[in-house]
């Protein structure tokens, strides 16, 4: 049924995620089609696809974000389905509709579900109505500073200020008083204007009560034909710089079994509330001291950190996405075991975390039992400044967290990247940090680490 329904799949993405999707597509006997910019012509994903199409210059707006060019490439190559990966057009409901209207299979949730969950305020209100815990916050977009100040007075400081749309921690900051709120609001407003197209005089900004000692824990769900939603365990994503994830692990070392069960059940309710189909992630904030949680947002796509779930469950989430999109209802049993950790290997300064692109002169990946590397580059490739600086994801799996940590130390030490700056030294530093190694950490960990070395 899979080959009859899908046949050939165009991957509307680049780098490590395009390469990872191509691997599963080809394993299932399907034809893999890549699209690429001029800047990415020499990357491995282009070579490894059965067919590759140049769709424009390096600027994403003229290549990976150009819906017309992506659809034209799909038509020209006879693609019958499109997988968006993550980022770029992955959570663009208009693109999903265009794919479906063109007679192709969209490998993702229904456009209506993307719309519902893409606006954080709308999603928050929907979840509250479904009985999912949410933080005290605004129920309507905050479009000017005076409204933000009134909202903060009602919520109580500190407050988290962020854009109502978009993700990845862009434009997010914490305000502890009115002066701090003015700065935070202006930052979020600029981000909303840049990434969401909102007007500067009326951006959609959201305020929520800030949890002082929080863990960022998310639940992987899979929506199946017929309405069934399955929770596939959680991932702890609390190691962050500038509100952006760097290291993820599963299971979370910071939640109790009772809290885990409540979070998994709530994530299923989230999926059911929007009729979710395919792979998605329900993100939550956990109060580390109170052992309670609130809904944060939902990502209606495959996550960067999906490999840790694959390692503890033995499932291939891309294969499940393909089968669900083809109308199949695969038998899925979520029985996680062992412990997995993912380290994002970025081309960035390991101290200040600023991007450090450049040509890779040496690249040697670790290997062996319990080690997985999803990479987008090899020696001789250039990490350009046009895209996210993620080069690879180094994942380790052990029978328990102690074994996974030891494997992580060994694998990080064995991973050689020369040329561009990279954050492997940070990963090594983290693996010797007492907060991280004991599992008793929160989203402020990286900031504390850097404050000590300043």
């Amino acid at each position: 049924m899979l080959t009859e329904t899908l046949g050939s799949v165009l991957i509307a993405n680049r780098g490590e995620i395009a390469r990872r999707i191509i691997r599963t597509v080809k394993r299932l006997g399907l034809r893999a089609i890549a699209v690429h910019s001029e800047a990415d012509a020499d990357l491995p994903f282009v070579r490894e696809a059965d067919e590759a199409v140049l769709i424009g210059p390096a600027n994403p707006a003229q290549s990976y974000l150009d819906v017309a060019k992506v659809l034209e490439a799909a038509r020209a190559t006879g693609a019958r389905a499109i997988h968006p990966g993550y980022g770029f057009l992955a959570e663009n409901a208009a693109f999903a509709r265009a794919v479906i209207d063109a007679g192709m299979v969209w490998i993702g949730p229904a456009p209506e579900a993307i719309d519902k969950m893409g606006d954080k305020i709308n999603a928050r209100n929907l979840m509250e109505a479904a009985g999912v815990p949410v933080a005290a916050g605004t129920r309507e977009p905050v479009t000017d500073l005076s409204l933000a100040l009134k909202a903060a007075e009602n919520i109580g400081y500190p407050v988290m200020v962020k854009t109502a749309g978009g993700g990845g921690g862009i434009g997010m900051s914490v305000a502890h008083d009115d002066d701090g709120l003015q700065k935070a609001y202006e930052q979020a407003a600029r981000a909303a204007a840049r990434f969401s197209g909102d007007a500067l005089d009326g951006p959609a900004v959201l305020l929520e009560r800030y949890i002082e000692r929080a863990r960022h824990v998310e639940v992987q769900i899979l929506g199946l034909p017929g309405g069934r939603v399955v929770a596939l365990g959680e991932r702890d994503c609390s190691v962050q710089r500038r509100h952006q994830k760097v290291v993820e692990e599963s299971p979370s070392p910071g939640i109790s079994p009772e809290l885990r069960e409540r979070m998994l059940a709530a994530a299923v309710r989230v999926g059911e509330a929007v009729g979710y189909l395919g792979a998605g992630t329900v993100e939550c904030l956990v109060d580390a001291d109170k052992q309670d949680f609130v809904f944060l947002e939902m990502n209606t796509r495959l996550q960067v950190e999906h490999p840790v779930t694959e390692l503890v469950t033995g499932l291939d989430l891309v294969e499940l996405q393909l089968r669900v999109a083809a109308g199949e209802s695969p038998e899925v049993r979520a029985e996680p075991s062992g412990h997995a950790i993912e380290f994002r290997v970025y081309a960035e300064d390991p101290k200040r975390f600023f991007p450090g692109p450049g040509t890779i002169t040496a690249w040697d990946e670790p290997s062996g039992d319990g080690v997985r590397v999803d990479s987008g580059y090899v020696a001789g490739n250039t990490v350009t400044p046009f895209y996210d600086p993620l080069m690879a994801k180094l994942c380790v799996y052990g029978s328990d967290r102690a074994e996974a940590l030891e494997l992580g130390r060994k694998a990080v030490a064995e991973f050689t990247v020369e040329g561009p700056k990279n954050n492997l030294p940070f990963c090594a530093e983290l693996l010797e940090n007492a907060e991280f190694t004991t599992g008793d950490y929160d989203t402020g960990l990286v900031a504390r680490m850097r404050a000590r070395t300043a």
Side-chain angles (χ1 to χ4, degrees):
M1 180 177 178
L2 204 59
T3 54
E4 293 173 3
T5 305
L6 303 183
S8 55
V9 179
L10 183 142
I11 298 91
N13 218 295
R14 63 177 297 280
E16 66 83 16
I17 190 59
R19 199 177 185 192
R20 185 264 171 276
I21 295 168
I22 287 168
R23 186 169 66 246
T24 291
V25 167
K26 294 177 76 170
R27 178 176 63 77
L28 294 173
L30 305 173
R31 186 163 156 265
I33 303 165
V35 291
H36 67 92
S37 69
E38 292 171 350
D40 286 343
D42 294 329
L43 294 192
F45 80 95
V46 176
R47 282 196 316 273
E48 292 169 7
D50 294 304
E51 186 172 356
V53 180
L54 173 64
I55 57 170
N59 184 342
Q62 297 175 280
S63 51
Y64 298 108
L65 290 172
D66 191 319
V67 171
K69 287 182 179 178
V70 173
L71 290 177
E72 179 52 38
R75 293 188 191 96
T77 55
R80 292 165 64 184
I82 292 182
H83 194 306
Y86 58 72
F88 292 129
L89 297 168
E91 293 179 282
N92 186 316
F95 177 57
R97 289 189 181 93
V99 171
I100 294 168
D101 290 345
M104 290 176 256
V105 176
W106 166 249
I107 302 172
E112 293 76 16
I114 298 174
D115 271 335
K116 287 178 181 177
M117 304 310 286
D119 182 309
K120 293 186 180 74
I121 295 174
N122 182 58
R124 186 181 178 286
N125 294 341
L126 280 172
M127 294 307 99
E128 189 173 25
V132 177
V134 299
T138 51
R139 289 179 169 79
E140 299 291 336
V142 178
T143 55
D144 64 49
L145 180 59
S146 64
L147 292 174
L149 289 166
K150 289 178 183 177
E153 183 180 357
N154 292 331
I155 298 167
Y157 286 110
V159 294
M160 175 65 77
V161 185
K162 54 190 176 181
T163 63
I170 303 297
M172 185 184 296
S173 59
V174 180
H176 293 270
D177 53 33
D178 286 358
D179 289 341
L181 179 58
Q182 181 173 348
K183 294 176 184 175
Y185 181 83
E186 289 171 354
Q187 177 179 312
R190 287 193 297 269
R194 180 178 175 188
F195 294 98
S196 305
D198 290 327
L200 277 171
D201 60 349
V205 173
L206 166 67
L207 273 67
E208 286 182 332
R209 177 73 179 172
Y210 177 67
I211 299 173
E212 291 280 8
R213 189 167 178 265
R215 296 187 81 115
H216 185 148
V217 181
E218 62 189 26
V219 178
Q220 176 70 58
I221 65 168
L222 183 73
L224 299 168
R228 181 174 171 236
V229 177
V230 182
L232 303 177
E234 86 283 359
R235 298 182 289 255
D236 198 313
C237 310
S238 302
V239 180
Q240 304 179 4
R241 84 283 194 264
R242 297 191 300 275
H243 302 292
Q244 294 177 304
K245 304 167 189 172
V246 187
V247 174
E248 303 91 2
E249 60 180 313
S250 183
S252 168
I255 63 174
S256 66
E258 184 272 337
L259 179 57
R260 176 174 291 111
E261 288 305 310
R262 286 198 286 128
M263 292 182 70
L264 297 182
V268 169
R269 291 202 302 277
V270 171
E272 292 173 341
V274 294
Y276 199 80
L277 191 66
T281 298
V282 178
E283 303 205 11
C284 303
L285 282 181
V286 173
D287 188 315
D289 297 320
K290 296 179 180 178
Q291 281 291 288
D292 208 354
F293 76 99
V294 292
F295 171 81
L296 181 62
E297 64 184 24
M298 183 177 187
N299 289 317
T300 54
R301 54 168 168 80
L302 192 68
Q303 290 281 81
V304 176
E305 59 272 19
H306 75 275
V308 294
T309 296
E310 294 185 326
L311 287 169
V312 297
T313 63
L315 300 170
D316 183 328
L317 292 180
V318 173
E319 177 178 349
L320 291 173
Q321 285 186 299
L322 294 167
R323 292 195 180 280
V324 168
E328 297 182 14
S329 188
E331 185 61 35
V332 179
R333 298 184 181 217
E335 298 177 353
S337 63
H339 200 97
I341 308 174
E342 174 183 283
F343 304 88
R344 300 191 189 192
V345 182
Y346 284 106
E348 67 181 19
D349 181 279
K351 293 291 185 183
R352 302 177 68 193
F353 307 116
F354 293 145
T359 298
I360 300 170
T361 55
W363 181 279
D364 189 15
E365 299 174 3
S367 60
D369 292 342
V371 177
R372 166 177 167 175
V373 180
D374 286 14
S375 60
Y377 297 84
V378 295
N381 293 154
T382 297
V383 181
T384 68
F386 305 111
Y387 314 111
D388 185 274
L390 180 65
M391 296 186 290
K393 299 179 308 200
L394 168 59
C395 307
V396 292
Y397 172 80
S399 59
D400 55 26
R401 191 169 188 265
E403 183 180 352
L405 287 169
E406 191 53 42
L407 279 169
R409 292 186 186 98
K410 184 172 182 288
V412 166
E414 292 178 352
F415 204 148
T416 299
V417 180
E418 295 178 3
K421 295 176 182 178
N422 70 81
N423 69 333
L424 284 167
F426 165 76
C427 296
E429 179 187 353
L430 179 74
L431 284 161
E432 301 304 325
N433 178 274
E435 288 185 64
F436 182 72
T437 56
T438 60
D440 186 21
Y441 62 94
D442 56 58
T443 54
L445 172 61
V446 176
R448 289 192 294 274
M449 289 172 65
R450 285 296 162 262
R452 295 185 196 113
T453 59

